[in-house]
Amino acid sequence: MTTLGAICSQLGPVCICSVDNLKSGSGTTEVDKCECLLAFCTKAYFQKGNSMKELYRAVTNRRPILAMLEPDSTQDGGLDERDITKLLTDQYLDKFELRKKWEEWKKKGTVVADGYQDHAPTSEDVVRALFATSPVEWSRLPHFQDVTLRLIAQKGVLQGEGRAEQKLSLDGEVAMKTVA
């Protein structure tokens, strides 16, 4: 099976970050360096303060975001775009004090020039950024995981700043062709 790291290593200096493997901090510094934020949209993701902070930081600084949906409700998933839109209200975001974080980032001068300079992003801004690129659905079936990883690289990394739309195929993957 191909790993996301193996795909990304072939693409050059790119980064998809997640706070899951951080030893310290909240992930905001890593978000600023990454080519694309991969948001694994499970129920647990939207309950973690650091996950919400990294998502909000990506929105604030207009970093590309790719939502990955876990369709299996037994694996803490089952959320679709409609469910996530209902969940991410301004009131919900306020539970994580994200507007205060924006004010802190603004005061420190870490909001990029083309980021949200005049106001903190609203819940509508967060949802719009999260689904600006059509989400990828995670597959737990080994034969489809390679395709999922390819889509993550193609839709996330390859669509970064200054990159033209590119297609990616993995070794052994059969391309679909129209037959007369």
Side-chain angles (χ1 to χ4, degrees):
M1 177 177 6
T2 306
T3 66
L4 183 56
I7 292 171
C8 290
S9 69
Q10 296 173 10
L11 300 174
V14 295
C15 170
I16 295 181
C17 72
S18 169
V19 297
D20 288 345
N21 57 3
L22 287 178
K23 303 233 186 300
S24 65
S26 65
T28 55
T29 302
E30 289 74 12
V31 169
D32 292 344
K33 297 175 192 171
C34 76
E35 194 71 34
C36 177
L37 174 74
L38 177 63
F40 194 29
C41 299
T42 62
K43 293 170 187 164
Y45 179 85
F46 293 110
Q47 294 170 354
K48 294 179 183 174
N50 281 348
S51 296
M52 294 305 296
K53 205 180 306 175
E54 79 173 359
L55 175 62
Y56 201 72
R57 177 66 172 207
V59 173
T60 296
N61 281 340
R62 299 186 195 273
R63 303 302 305 152
I65 302 169
L66 179 60
M68 184 165 61
L69 305 178
E70 165 60 80
D72 189 345
S73 60
T74 66
Q75 298 294 324
D76 208 23
L79 298 174
D80 60 17
E81 189 172 343
R82 186 185 68 237
D83 297 327
I84 294 166
T85 300
K86 283 183 194 174
L87 174 69
L88 294 180
T89 63
D90 286 324
Q91 186 177 18
Y92 186 80
L93 295 178
D94 286 345
K95 287 181 6 181
F96 299 97
E97 299 184 338
L98 297 172
R99 291 177 218 235
K100 286 183 184 176
K101 286 307 293 181
W102 176 84
E103 290 170 8
E104 180 184 313
W105 296 331
K106 180 90 168 128
K107 198 176 287 185
K108 286 182 179 177
T110 60
V111 175
V112 298
D114 62 343
Y116 281 83
Q117 290 286 331
D118 57 339
H119 70 281
T122 64
S123 60
E124 291 86 14
D125 297 324
V126 172
V127 169
R128 192 175 316 113
L130 183 59
F131 295 109
T133 299
S134 60
V136 171
E137 186 174 290
W138 177 248
S139 177
R140 294 193 174 274
L141 299 173
H143 294 301
F144 296 116
Q145 285 178 355
D146 282 353
V147 174
T148 302
L149 292 172
R150 176 186 51 80
L151 288 171
I152 291 168
Q154 187 173 307
K155 289 182 168 198
V157 176
L158 293 178
Q159 300 308 313
E161 267 183 63
R163 297 178 192 259
E165 185 171 332
Q166 300 177 41
K167 296 290 181 195
L168 179 68
S169 60
L170 302 175
D171 287 342
E173 185 176 11
V174 178
M176 293 186 59
K177 294 181 181 179
T178 305
V179 180

